[in-house]
Amino acid sequence: MPVKSRVMAHASVPTTPSLNLGRLALVLFLMLLAFFHRATLEGQVLSPAELLRHEAPYKGIVPEGHPNALRSDDVFLATPTFLTHVPGTLRGDIPFTDPAKLGGDLGGMGWVSLGQVLYPPAWVYGILPPTLAPLAFAIVRLLAGGLGMALLIRQLGLPGWTAWFGAVAFTFTGSSVVWLSSPIPSVTICLPWAWLGMEWLLAGNRRRGLPTLILACGIQFLAGYLPQSLLFGLAVASWGGVRLVQSQRRWADAGLLLTGGLGGLGLGVLGWLPSLLALSGSDVANRTVAGDAFNPLHLVTWLVPNFFGNPVFSPWMTGGNYCELIAYAGFLPAALAVTSVTGFLRQTASPANEREILFPALVVLVLAAGCLYGWPGFAHLSMLPGLSAIPPGRWTGIIAAILPVLAAHGAARWERMPLKVAREGLVLASLGALGIAVAYLTFWPTLVDHRMTSYVLDCLAVPVVNVLLVAVIAWKACRHGLGRSLQRALMALVFVDLLAVGSGFNPTVPAAGFYPWTPGLRAAANASTDGRVLPLEGLLPGDLPGLYGLRSLTGYDLRGDRTWRKALASAGDGSQDPLASITGNAFLLATTGPGRTRPNELWLNVRPEHPWLDLWSVRCFLLPPASRLRGTDAADLIHDGSDMQVIRNPGARPMAWWTPDLGPLEDKDAPVRALPPVGDATVSLAAPAKALRVLDWEVPDEGWIVVAERAALGWTPSGTMLAWQEAAGGVLALKVAKGRGTARLDFAPAPVVAAFWTSLAMLISMSILLAVSRRT
């Protein structure tokens, strides 16, 4: 029989059966509270900030917590970004530029996008206290992903209890909870919602389907990581492509799905446009890493999550980033997904409608697994522009979103044919045990050499216990059927399994150790009220200075434009790439663990006498204790404590100053060995908002006011000035007439401003449409 005649007619696609979302949400919420028990019951902060205790200025101040050095992005980038940018956005102070940085990308958001300020779960950082916001951010995202998965499974016509099972499996999947601080799970949780929107559209429910698809595709762009958004698009397009082949209203449905995808691009424009604009002026090229597929031995981690070690409680053997390599999605979901595939291969193993629904799920699974493990043919796909910069581990999130769907179908098969599935399960369990045994025998000599044999045997506890429990449940199901008690036992088993594995990867720290102030930080803040600081020798890496109101030169910015990189290089001694040296400390922490940085290894090899530092208004140099900075005088030492040193730069210019003639600053490309003198004038610079500077002056003659802000695309000066230009060192220079005057310096790049209001308007309108559709 032709495929087209076997598929469900468009009108016969089932609508979503009733699902008590309120009860499910409550159960998942209580599970999440238990999962993050150290934060909810012990008052800890859900953050790996404990790793700061090994570094100046926090050494000896931050109390010991539950560490995970591989989550350094959380400490140096994610949390500081949210704490400094989201509250301002909710107050109407849109951060098109970052006052804590002289250089950096559009929006000052480092390597992630400005769109994160409109990512709805991130709004908790503007509502709750800083110590509670990370926990709320985690719970809101995981809960949203679980509810979306439950609705999707029910829309596919599977039994209600399997929707609960899939929701639990997806909420606590390893690829999300292990790397919870990154924007990657923020993208992945939108996948089931996008597939759900497509299924609603294909079922003829446009009122729900279209806004759901637009919201899911748009919000994942706002999550802030464009490479993962590319994989999201491939997963959604693959699902939709298969469903269109099956559809009897192919062209009409294609128009609806295309409208939803384009609407998502429009809603998420603030997520992708600033990133593309920042890359357009950068020398940073794509890293060719996608071709480096996972070693097939990593397949073992789908069943034994700690096969290569656990970065929290033991050394890991791969030497890579465990957070990127983790693939564990639960032993039971993986086993049930395999039984789903075996049933799909049998012509009569599943009802016709389920067989048709499984086609897109299997296509997405094959696509993700092929790229993850470098199957022939898929390696070429991974080398496409954009995809070539994506490490293969990013595909684990896509697989983690597909496995609960397949596992739900496998559970439904178990309910209908327990004896048949039990026999299949016995064969699969035997093959899995054989694979695990082969893997361990392969690595056993290495384990002995590393004295890790006892630890590795402990790692077998989770899969062995799971196999035994699943065997007992299967035996009961074969004798008495899969009753409600056994269904609950399966859900409890997958929760306990993922809880045992995932909770250890979510480090906490006592509230007293969550970015505390130190005497040196207070001294630096007092000494640089009208200027900037320059942390050296790995001190305060990433975006940490902004948390304390300190203005620095740059932060965790990897895509600085060519002009800014050139200026930074000229201020140093040329021995290192300036942006790599400034941001590199965070990467060193991620790859070698805390406490292993060496003085002068990763820092801008600055020459304190260079005029650029004076021009950029660098008031203070911040160094670890007992350091020495060449070219400085002992009289300039402001603070010398056990936390850090603060050294004054006596030649630093104000943030805004007047000179009758730019002189050597006139030519922005010429080398400068001295700055023009500061004229006798009154100049004040106020910053009432992140995207606005207000400049007032009274000068004795026509001349120039130099402002220590980088003359990046987007500044639109207006007022009584005569003209403005970019001066040497990349700063702004405003030509002014004699007497009093005022000017506004707005940083508002027209494309980015338009993108912000477009994203916000579409986010609000689509949310209203979806809310109204649920009441009609």
Side-chain angles (χ1 to χ4, degrees):
M1 182 178 294
V3 172
K4 191 171 183 178
S5 63
R6 288 192 288 107
V7 298
M8 298 172 289
H10 183 275
S12 65
V13 179
T15 56
T16 307
S18 60
L19 179 66
N20 193 329
L21 273 184
R23 182 181 299 177
L24 175 59
L26 178 60
V27 171
L28 289 178
F29 179 71
L30 294 177
M31 287 181 171
L32 286 166
L33 292 182
F35 186 78
F36 298 116
H37 58 91
R38 289 196 300 269
T40 57
L41 300 179
E42 301 176 21
Q44 304 257 330
V45 182
L46 186 63
S47 168
E50 188 271 351
L51 64 90
L52 293 175
R53 68 192 300 263
H54 301 278
E55 306 293 331
Y58 306 100
K59 194 170 185 179
I61 298 177
V62 175
E64 185 173 359
H66 297 78
N68 186 343
L70 297 182
R71 290 270 296 274
S72 59
D73 280 355
D74 193 339
V75 177
F76 301 123
L77 173 65
T79 301
T81 294
F82 286 129
L83 288 175
T84 55
H85 287 69
V86 174
T89 302
L90 296 183
R91 294 192 304 265
D93 183 9
I94 306 167
F96 293 128
T97 186
D98 194 334
K101 302 175 186 177
L102 173 59
D105 296 332
L106 286 170
M109 304 292 280
W111 52 268
V112 295
S113 75
L114 175 61
Q116 284 191 318
V117 299
L118 288 186
Y119 185 67
W123 295 344
V124 297
Y125 282 90
I127 300 172
L128 298 176
T131 53
L132 290 179
L135 173 64
F137 185 51
I139 289 178
V140 168
R141 287 185 296 161
L142 296 178
L143 183 61
L147 294 178
M149 181 58 67
L151 285 171
L152 173 64
I153 291 172
R154 284 302 270 156
Q155 178 63 29
L156 299 182
L158 297 173
W161 77 271
T162 65
W164 282 63
F165 178 88
V168 172
F170 185 60
T171 298
F172 297 95
T173 185
S175 64
S176 290
V177 300
V178 170
W179 216 0
L180 193 55
S181 58
S182 81
I184 294 174
S186 299
V187 174
T188 306
I189 63 165
C190 297
L191 261 177
W193 288 100
W195 291 329
L196 174 65
M198 298 171 79
E199 291 300 320
W200 273 338
L201 280 176
L202 294 172
N205 192 343
R206 300 182 184 181
R207 289 179 176 269
R208 286 191 186 181
L210 194 58
T212 299
L213 181 57
I214 292 174
L215 281 170
C217 293
I219 288 176
Q220 65 87 24
F221 275 118
L222 299 179
Y225 195 57
L226 194 56
Q228 192 69 22
S229 293
L230 294 176
L231 302 189
F232 178 99
L234 284 176
V236 171
S238 301
W239 184 292
V242 175
R243 297 294 282 128
L244 284 176
V245 171
Q246 299 171 337
S247 173
Q248 293 185 348
R249 297 180 55 207
R250 193 168 302 170
W251 294 110
D253 290 337
L256 289 173
L257 298 184
L258 183 61
T259 300
L262 293 177
L265 277 173
L267 191 153
V269 64
L270 188 65
W272 54 266
L273 182 62
S275 293
L276 294 182
L277 291 176
L279 283 171
S280 65
S282 172
D283 287 322
V284 177
N286 285 341
R287 295 175 299 162
T288 305
V289 295
D292 303 329
F294 267 21
N295 188 307
L297 278 174
H298 279 90
L299 280 168
V300 180
T301 63
W302 289 103
L303 299 177
V304 188
N306 290 334
F307 177 75
F308 292 110
N310 183 308
V312 179
F313 302 113
S314 174
W316 55 97
M317 295 183 57
T318 60
N321 191 333
Y322 193 101
C323 298
E324 296 187 14
L325 305 180
I326 182 64
Y328 190 66
F331 175 85
L332 185 55
L336 289 176
V338 175
T339 64
S340 171
V341 175
T342 58
F344 175 82
L345 297 176
R346 298 171 182 270
Q347 292 296 325
T348 59
S350 303
N353 65 322
E354 290 184 16
R355 285 185 54 78
E356 300 301 335
I357 286 297
L358 285 177
F359 266 105
L362 290 176
V363 168
V364 175
L365 179 64
V366 170
L367 172 68
C371 293
L372 181 64
Y373 294 103
W375 294 351
F378 291 92
H380 299 288
L381 175 64
S382 66
M383 298 308 296
L384 292 175
L387 295 180
S388 61
I390 302 174
R394 301 297 192 269
W395 287 98
T396 58
I398 308 298
I399 296 178
I402 280 293
L403 280 181
V405 177
L406 296 174
H409 176 254
R413 284 193 65 226
W414 203 348
E415 186 176 50
R416 288 191 300 266
M417 299 170 289
L419 189 59
K420 180 187 290 292
V421 176
R423 287 198 298 263
E424 294 176 2
L426 182 61
V427 175
L428 293 173
S430 301
L431 292 176
L434 179 61
I436 294 173
V438 171
Y440 271 103
L441 288 175
T442 302
F443 271 92
W444 194 257
T446 305
L447 299 176
V448 173
D449 292 341
H450 286 76
R451 298 181 179 181
M452 293 179 62
T453 52
S454 61
Y455 167 76
V456 171
L457 291 176
D458 291 340
C459 296
L460 285 172
V462 172
V464 168
V465 170
N466 280 331
V467 169
L468 294 176
L469 292 176
V470 170
V472 171
I473 294 175
W475 178 73
K476 286 281 188 180
C478 292
R479 288 175 58 89
H480 308 291
L482 195 60
R484 179 168 296 183
S485 60
L486 292 182
Q487 294 171 6
R488 291 174 176 172
L490 288 172
M491 285 186 284
L493 175 59
V494 69
F495 169 62
V496 173
D497 176 10
L498 292 171
L499 173 68
V501 174
S503 61
F505 292 89
N506 286 278
T508 57
V509 66
F514 188 66
Y515 302 115
W517 280 85
T518 71
L521 287 170
R522 297 189 185 279
N526 293 332
S528 61
T529 54
D530 183 29
R532 304 182 185 277
V533 299
L534 179 59
L536 301 175
E537 297 191 24
L539 191 75
L540 294 178
D543 290 337
L544 289 181
L547 279 175
Y548 302 97
L550 299 174
R551 290 175 289 197
S552 187
L553 294 184
T554 186
Y556 206 123
D557 301 310
L558 308 183
R559 297 184 307 227
D561 64 37
R562 300 177 183 92
T563 303
W564 180 234
R565 292 173 73 96
K566 182 179 179 180
L568 282 176
S570 66
D573 61 11
S575 63
Q576 295 183 8
D577 176 87
L579 289 184
S581 63
I582 290 176
T583 63
N585 190 51
F587 291 109
L588 190 69
L589 283 170
T591 55
T592 65
R596 301 187 186 182
T597 55
R598 294 189 293 273
N600 300 316
E601 180 179 18
L602 289 170
W603 65 301
L604 176 62
N605 286 325
V606 67
R607 292 174 288 169
E609 71 280 1
H610 197 282
W612 274 180
L613 302 183
D614 298 337
L615 180 67
W616 294 333
S617 192
V618 175
R619 294 277 182 183
C620 301
F621 302 106
L622 310 182
L623 291 91
S627 299
R628 291 293 179 265
L629 184 61
R630 60 186 183 277
T632 59
D633 193 288
D636 296 326
L637 188 62
I638 298 174
H639 174 82
D640 187 10
S642 59
D643 57 343
M644 62 190 296
Q645 284 187 342
V646 182
I647 301 176
R648 182 173 64 94
N649 177 21
R653 297 294 172 90
M655 290 291 292
W657 49 281
W658 176 79
T659 181
D661 185 11
L662 282 179
L665 297 181
E666 184 76 35
D667 185 357
K668 67 177 182 180
D669 296 321
V672 175
R673 293 181 175 83
L675 300 180
V678 178
D680 186 11
T682 302
V683 181
S684 64
L685 179 68
K690 288 187 176 181
L692 175 66
R693 307 287 186 272
V694 178
L695 188 65
D696 293 294
W697 65 84
E698 184 175 359
V699 298
D701 201 351
E702 181 179 287
W704 295 84
I705 293 180
V706 180
V707 182
E709 293 287 356
R710 191 165 66 95
L713 177 66
W715 285 107
T716 55
S718 61
T720 56
M721 63 178 185
L722 301 178
W724 69 279
Q725 69 178 56
E726 179 181 351
V731 297
L732 279 168
L734 286 69
K735 190 171 185 178
V736 297
K738 177 182 179 180
R740 294 184 177 181
T742 185
R744 287 167 50 98
L745 305 178
D746 289 299
F747 187 83
V752 181
V753 173
F756 177 87
W757 293 112
T758 299
S759 292
L760 181 60
M762 291 194 66
L763 182 63
I764 294 174
S765 59
M766 290 298 107
S767 299
I768 293 174
L769 284 177
L770 184 60
V772 170
S773 71
R774 294 183 60 83
R775 297 187 178 184
T776 58

